[in-house]
Amino acid sequence: MFDTGIYDLGIPINFDTSLRRAWTTLAPAATDRVLDIGCGSGRMLLHVLPWLRSGGHLTGLDVDPGGLAYAGRRAQQLGVADQVTFVQGNMSDLDPDQIGAFDGAVAHFSVYTLPSDAERRAAIHQVARVLRPRARFVLVVPNECYRARPLVADARRAEGDRKDIPLWLRLVRQWALCSFTEWGTRRNVEKKLDQDIYHRYTAPELVDHLTSAGFRDIHITRTPGLNSYCAWGCLGEPA
Ligand SMILES: C[S@@+](CC[C@H](N)C(=O)[O-])C[C@H]1O[C@@H](n2cnc3c(N)ncnc32)[C@H](O)[C@@H]1O
């Protein structure tokens, strides 16, 4: 799905807003090295181009080779291939050679796809291992209220408010694209959440997972349209 671009086609506008927000929350310095955990099709690249061009380096990690191939082509097309690295790997089992290698990390709608509490905790612990002390980690996950219908209703509203595209395209996106997104989100995300294959987070659970991995000064905000939480914290000093 990632490889063909179908995933990208169905991305609602509020998902892009959330990606941008995760990045501005991370707020990396110009030459930082940042890890994008579960990078998928590399859509984050669209939102970080000025930072990449100013000398930042993004490493995208994913298990799915199709997504990584698509992300690599995207980086080429955007002219930032020298500033990015894509790595195939499991977020619950990161390369020990990478310990302390990153100045920041973001995981946007990826950790929640791990099927067990133990794996989700392990992934956050692994992130802590590969960050330098005081580095920031931003984690975005669906919350208790996540459903496809309100997400798509919010996307339709946002598409309707757009001034950057002509009316006909706005209508196509509002009614055809958003219907496709609703169908795909029900089938691929909501169903798996309801079956406990994926996970809806609570705020106390996020605090617990982040704290026990060594993150401090934790903040959580709710994104109403997406029914998600954006949580972030900084890694403490080594004991
Ligand atoms: C919903 S997609 C999100 C992609 C991207 N972060 C975004 O927001 O557009 C979830 C991604 O997590 C990846 N993923 C799932 N389990 C993983 C694991 N154990 N290790 C690394 N990536 C994983 C999937 O392959 C997929 O690309």
Side-chain angles (χ1 to χ4, degrees):
M1 187 170 68
F2 282 117
D3 201 19
T4 60
I6 289 177
Y7 172 82
D8 248 54
L9 187 68
I11 286 198
I13 190 166
N14 44 5
F15 199 76
D16 269 325
T17 308
S18 171
L19 275 165
R20 244 188 335 267
R21 191 159 158 242
W23 190 260
T24 51
T25 302
L26 187 67
T31 55
D32 274 359
R33 298 145 304 157
V34 172
L35 179 63
D36 181 2
I37 298 145
C39 64
S41 64
R43 193 157 179 101
M44 187 61 99
L45 290 179
L46 298 177
H47 304 292
V48 306
L49 288 173
W51 173 78
L52 286 171
R53 289 178 183 141
S54 76
H57 192 100
L58 188 70
T59 297
L61 173 104
D62 207 287
V63 273
D64 177 15
L68 293 170
Y70 191 90
R73 289 200 295 277
R74 196 199 292 273
Q76 291 281 354
Q77 281 159 11
L78 293 169
V80 291
D82 289 346
Q83 296 303 116
V84 299
T85 308
F86 290 108
V87 181
Q88 189 176 7
N90 184 346
M91 66 173 103
S92 309
D93 182 22
L94 293 180
D95 182 350
D97 288 349
Q98 300 275 23
I99 287 175
F102 294 98
D103 304 299
V106 61
H108 186 266
F109 273 88
S110 54
V111 172
Y112 83 105
T113 64
L114 299 176
S116 70
D117 182 73
E119 282 166 277
R120 292 187 291 273
R121 276 181 188 277
I124 297 173
H125 270 90
Q126 293 289 310
V127 174
R129 282 179 74 211
V130 299
L131 288 178
R132 64 157 173 78
R134 293 182 302 284
R136 185 176 282 193
F137 173 42
V138 180
L139 174 64
V140 182
V141 288
N143 68 27
E144 310 90 325
C145 302
Y146 183 97
R147 290 266 154 216
R149 180 162 290 178
L151 177 152
V152 170
D154 185 70
R156 279 210 173 94
R157 257 193 314 274
E159 290 288 357
D161 289 343
R162 282 179 75 164
K163 303 279 183 278
D164 59 324
I165 51 175
L167 177 65
W168 69 266
L169 185 55
R170 224 154 59 206
L171 292 172
V172 169
R173 291 185 60 92
Q174 265 187 304
W175 300 106
L177 185 73
C178 285
S179 302
F180 169 68
T181 301
E182 184 167 349
W183 171 79
T185 307
R186 265 180 204 284
R187 204 166 155 264
N188 291 312
V189 183
E190 191 174 292
K191 192 170 160 192
K192 289 181 182 163
L193 285 166
D194 290 344
Q195 292 172 340
D196 273 341
I197 298 169
Y198 291 171
H199 185 66
R200 291 180 174 93
Y201 269 86
T202 64
E205 191 183 6
L206 276 173
V207 172
D208 178 37
H209 283 205
L210 288 166
T211 310
S212 62
F215 291 97
R216 302 286 172 260
D217 198 16
I218 291 158
H219 300 260
I220 300 181
T221 59
R222 180 187 275 266
T223 309
L226 275 186
N227 284 322
S228 58
Y229 286 128
C230 177
W232 69 98
C234 289
L235 195 62
E237 296 287 348

